[in-house]
């Protein structure tokens, strides 16, 4: 080989080696989201639904940790819309976060908005969804975040990966369901089906051809990335004859957790490994509601999909069906969720705040308000209107978004008096609570946090009107779930049992019925950050609030300026 050739070969080898050894530089991914109505037929009935790029569920976006995403959103529909990046922290840049009237005004029909989303430490599965009215019912999709180039999963590389998106379907128009629900003051009409990857499955009338099928090869391992995009229910999910191994949740890795079933909250994502190690056959996988409130009606149907092994054989008849916990089995729910643990290894260290500067104690309650309909009564208990609250504040969305009001110092949009403790203390989880305490205040109050405060927030579920699980979600952060327990929180005893070693890092946590859950986070992301129950009907009733996290002193600790095309109010 001549010298020139040798030099050339060595150089090429060197470049290849560099490419392998050096973690990849952040890449920018461009996407266009056209929000428009598209016709869809499920359960023998057709309607137009709001979609992104005509697809339902919407497009999955793929990227690596630390990448940048630019999404040009065009609203070609007839109603206002916003897009939220659930589980992406939007460091110093709440302008792209999406919740309407919290961080932006909605994108009006005919308008567009270019959202810039910079990933930080998220790795695993997160998702995007509409964050205006109830349009997220059909406007949602998964976001897959691979490890940085040159790094690996903390588990053996799966042979293949599949997204499993759980959804909820009403035969009627979702806006009509919302309008009716807001007018009646009662519970919303229950949905007609749950969906797996957009399909109800063959237990529903007229859905024989509408079943999602997942083909696997015997001996292989699959990574299933599950998103619960359902509106109003926590779900149980299981696959007949197969155990699954959870390896991640909410865009962070967990210690491997083996289970026969999963409990997954709306908003939550769960990544799990499925080993195709059973006799080749077809097996049902199924999901149905976990509903801990006693008296309310809910969609009690079961959605199915089929796991089918490739090969030449005749499937058994009937197909094996999974065992799912009963709809009100709170123990089954907490036995799963309470076993999640951070991976907490050398490559994935945890950073739980140990010295707490700010203790917050927030009750989460269902409430009742006077009906206030001029010519009809409400269909809530005793003719009242349902409401919901955090520390007895039932949140009212302002007309101008809070972020804009904060940034440009516009007065009169929100107050800064959100209480750090409940305005009145009672036996929160008692069985016969007086009706006096059931009324809530309708306010637009935020809680201001200084940069780098270390926060412990205890959610206390109450038994007002009806105790039920509340999947609480915080924007702009992931938090460590350091403890939970049934009954009332005891500030002297309960912290002694906190897990500060490997608590799971999540952005959505189900506070069990008549129980408390403690989370910790460090307020190091300046901005305006929404916090709410991810059951859509509870959000509509006001179970939400916002944090304003102030700028720090360093140049990298301040809000970045808004983009020029922020939607106008
Ligand atoms: Cu999944 Cu406020 O969001
Ligand atoms: Cu709730």
């Amino acid at each position: 080989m001549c010298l020139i050739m040798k030099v050339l070969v060595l150089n090429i080898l060197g470049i290849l080696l560099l490419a392998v050894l050096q973690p990849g530089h952040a890449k920018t991914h461009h996407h266009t989201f056209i929000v428009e109505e598209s016709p869809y037929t499920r359960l023998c009935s057709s309607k137009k639904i709001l979609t992104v790029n005509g697809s339902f569920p919407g497009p999955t976006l793929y990227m690596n940790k630390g990448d940048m995403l630019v999404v040009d959103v065009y609203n070609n529909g007839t109603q206002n819309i916003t897009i939220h990046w659930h589980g992406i922290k939007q460091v110093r840049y709440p302008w792209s976060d999406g919740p309407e009237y919290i961080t932006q005004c909605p994108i009006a029909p005919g308008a567009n908005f270019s959202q810039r989303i910079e990933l930080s430490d998220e790795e695993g599965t997160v998702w995007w969804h509409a964050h205006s009215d109830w349009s997220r019912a059909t406007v949602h999709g998964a976001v897959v975040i691979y490890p940085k180039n040159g790094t690996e999963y903390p588990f053996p590389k799966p042979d293949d990966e599949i997204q499993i998106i759980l959804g909820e379907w009403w035969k009627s128009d979702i806006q009509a369901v919302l309008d009716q629900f807001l007018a009646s003051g009662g519970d919303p009409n229950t949905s007609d089906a749950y969906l797996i990857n957009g399909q109800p499955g063959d237990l529903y009338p007229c859905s024989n051809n509408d079943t999602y099928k997942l083909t696997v090869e015997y001996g292989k391992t699959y990574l299933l990335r599950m998103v619960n995009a359902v509106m109003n229910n926590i779900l149980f999910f299981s696959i007949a004859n197969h155990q699954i191994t959870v390896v991640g949740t909410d865009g962070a890795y967990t210690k491997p957790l083996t289970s026969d079933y999963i409990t997954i909250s709306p908003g939550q994502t769960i990544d799990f490994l499925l080993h195709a190690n059973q006799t080749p056959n077809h097996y049902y996988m199924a999901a149905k509601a976990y509903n801990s409130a006693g008296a309310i009606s809910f969609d009690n149907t079961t959605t199915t999909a089929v796991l089918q092994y490739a090969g030449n054989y005749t499937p058994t008849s009937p197909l094996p069906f999974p065992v799912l916990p009963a709809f009100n089995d709170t123990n089954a729910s907490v036995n799963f969720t309470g076993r999640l643990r951070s991976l907490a290894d050398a490559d994935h260290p945890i950073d739980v705040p140990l010295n707490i500067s700010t203790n917050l104690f927030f009750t989460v309650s269902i409430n009742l308000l006077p009906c206030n309909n001029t010519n009809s009564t409400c269909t809530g208990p005793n003719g009242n209107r349902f409401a919901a609250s955090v520390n007895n504040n039932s949140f009212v969305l302002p007309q101008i978004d809070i972020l804009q009001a904060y940034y440009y110092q516009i007065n009169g949009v929100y107050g800064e008096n959100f209480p750090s403790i409940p305005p009145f203390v009672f036996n929160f989880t008692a069985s016969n609570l007086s009706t006096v305490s059931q009324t809530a205040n309708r306010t637009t109050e935020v809680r201001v946090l200084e940069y780098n405060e270390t926060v412990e927030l205890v959610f206390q579920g109450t038994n007002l009107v009806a105790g039920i699980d509340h999947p609480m979600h915080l924007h702009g952060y992931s938090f460590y779930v350091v403890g939970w327990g049934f009954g009332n929180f005891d500030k002297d005893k309960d912290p002694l049992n906190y897990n500060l070693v490997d608590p799971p890092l999540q952005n959505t946590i189900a506070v069990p019925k008549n129980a408390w859950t403690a989370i910790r986070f460090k307020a190091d992301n300046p901005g305006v950050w929404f916090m709410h129950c991810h059951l859509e009907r509870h959000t509509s009733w006001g179970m939400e609030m916002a944090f304003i996290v102030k700028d720090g002193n360093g140049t990298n600790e301040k809000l970045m300026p808004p983009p020029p095309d922020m939607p106008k109010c």
Side-chain angles (χ1 to χ4, degrees), residues 52-342:
V52 163
N53 302 344
S55 72
F56 174 70
T60 302
L61 309 185
Y62 301 89
M63 60 209 73
N64 291 90
K65 181 179 180 177
D67 282 359
M68 171 84 95
L69 184 61
V70 176
V71 182
D72 296 321
V73 182
Y74 292 85
N75 186 355
N76 288 359
T78 54
Q79 62 188 104
N80 285 341
I81 195 94
T82 66
I83 304 290
H84 167 53
W85 307 87
H86 181 124
I88 299 181
K89 296 177 185 71
Q90 312 276 13
V91 179
R92 300 168 52 212
Y93 201 70
W95 306 104
S96 282
D97 193 42
E100 74 173 340
Y101 300 117
I102 304 295
T103 61
Q104 70 168 89
C105 286
I107 309 168
N112 61 287
F113 177 37
S114 181
Q115 291 181 255
R116 195 185 66 95
I117 299 119
E118 194 178 339
L119 299 181
S120 55
D121 58 357
E122 305 87 1
E123 186 169 329
T125 308
V126 294
W127 61 302
W128 57 268
H129 63 77
H131 213 303
S132 47
D133 286 344
W134 279 23
S135 42
R136 83 167 172 86
T138 56
V139 178
H140 59 246
V143 178
V144 172
I145 306 171
Y146 298 118
K148 278 199 166 146
N149 287 329
T151 68
E152 302 285 336
Y153 291 133
F155 44 85
K157 194 175 188 312
D159 294 290
D160 206 353
E161 304 191 358
I162 304 100
Q163 284 82 248
I164 302 284
I165 298 180
L166 304 170
E168 187 166 11
W169 186 265
W170 280 260
K171 283 194 206 167
S172 46
D173 179 65
I174 194 70
Q175 189 63 38
V177 175
L178 174 61
D179 291 344
Q180 200 271 341
F181 155 77
L182 292 177
S184 75
D187 263 316
N189 291 337
T190 55
S191 51
D192 297 292
Y194 298 107
L195 310 172
I196 296 177
N197 286 345
Q199 304 293 349
D202 54 17
L203 296 189
Y204 292 96
C206 159
S207 303
N208 275 337
N209 298 322
D210 294 334
T211 304
Y212 174 73
K213 299 196 168 96
L214 172 59
T215 304
V216 296
E217 284 177 44
Y218 180 83
K220 291 196 167 172
T221 298
Y222 298 82
L223 175 60
L224 274 60
R225 298 171 177 272
M226 178 172 283
V227 175
N228 186 350
V230 161
M231 299 292 277
N232 280 320
N233 279 100
I234 299 173
L235 297 182
F236 288 128
F237 169 90
S238 180
I239 305 175
N241 297 40
H242 292 74
Q243 287 201 316
I244 54 93
T245 304
V246 176
V247 292
T249 186
D250 287 0
Y253 295 116
T254 62
K255 291 200 168 69
L257 166 61
T258 300
S259 181
D260 298 325
Y261 66 94
I262 280 173
T263 317
I264 186 166
S265 289
Q268 191 181 8
T269 69
I270 296 184
D271 291 354
F272 58 91
L273 298 172
L274 168 67
H275 306 290
N277 57 7
Q278 297 298 304
T279 317
N281 197 354
H282 291 186
Y283 297 90
Y284 271 119
M285 46 180 123
K288 71 169 196 191
Y290 159 52
N291 189 313
S292 56
I296 71 163
S297 58
F298 65 99
D299 180 347
N300 199 15
T301 62
T302 304
T303 178
T304 55
V306 178
L307 176 73
Q308 45 189 31
Y309 283 70
N312 264 326
Y313 59 89
T314 310
T316 55
S317 175
L319 304 184
F321 201 87
V323 182
L324 287 161
F327 76 88
N328 58 358
D329 192 343
T330 295
N331 285 329
S333 174
V334 298
N335 281 344
F336 175 80
T337 305
R339 280 198 293 146
L340 292 170
R341 295 288 178 271
S342 272

Side-chain angles (χ1 to χ4, degrees), residues 462-486:
T462 79
N463 203 28
L464 286 176
V465 186
I468 184 174
D469 289 48
H470 298 290
M472 301 306 295
H473 171 51
L474 175 61
H475 290 218
Y477 291 87
S478 287
F479 46 75
Y480 290 100
V481 182
V482 295
W484 75 276
F486 288 118

